[in-house]
Amino acid sequence: MFVLELTYTAPIERVEAALQEHVEWLKKEFAAGTFIVAGRKVPRDGGVILATGSDRATVEQLVAEDPFSVAGVCTYRITEFAATTTAPPLEAYRETPQP
C-alpha cells in the first residue's frame, strides 16, 4: 500500500489548467483498482492518494504519468506501508508484513 502526497510547486492557476486531465487520470486508476481514496489537502496546497501497488517502481512510474507531474505543477512524496489493520470495508486490502 502507498500514500502518495502531492505538493503543488506552481501557482494554482497552472494547477487548475491541468486539473481536468488529472481528474481523468484519477478516474482511470480508480477503475483499475489502483486507487482507493484521493482528495485535496486542507489548505489546498496539494493532495493525497491512497494506492495499492505491487512495487515501488511501478508506483513511481504511475505518478510520473500523472498530468500534474507531466505539467510540472507538483512533486510527489511516496510512502510505502503495510496495511495490517483496516476497517471492515477495507479488509480486502489488509496485508501481512514481510520481514
Side-chain angles (χ1 to χ4, degrees), residues 55-97:
D55 60 72
R56 187 178 188 90
T58 301
V59 172
E60 288 174 351
Q61 178 61 42
L62 178 66
V63 300
E65 297 167 0
D66 176 359
F68 277 179
S69 294
V70 174
V73 300
C74 81
T75 58
Y76 270 92
R77 178 175 179 226
I78 301 171
T79 304
E80 185 173 2
F81 74 102
T84 57
T85 307
T86 64
L90 298 175
E91 285 180 6
Y93 299 103
R94 191 171 297 160
E95 300 174 310
T96 302

Side-chain angles (χ1 to χ4, degrees), residues 6-23 40-41 44-47 66-69 71-75:
L6 297 79
T7 301
Y8 298 148
T9 58
I12 197 68
E13 295 79 16
R14 287 192 49 216
V15 172
E16 289 288 342
L19 183 60
Q20 187 56 42
E21 289 180 58
H22 172 74
V23 169
R40 294 176 177 175
K41 291 194 289 188
R44 188 181 176 196
D45 61 359
D66 176 359
F68 277 179
S69 294
V73 300
C74 81
T75 58

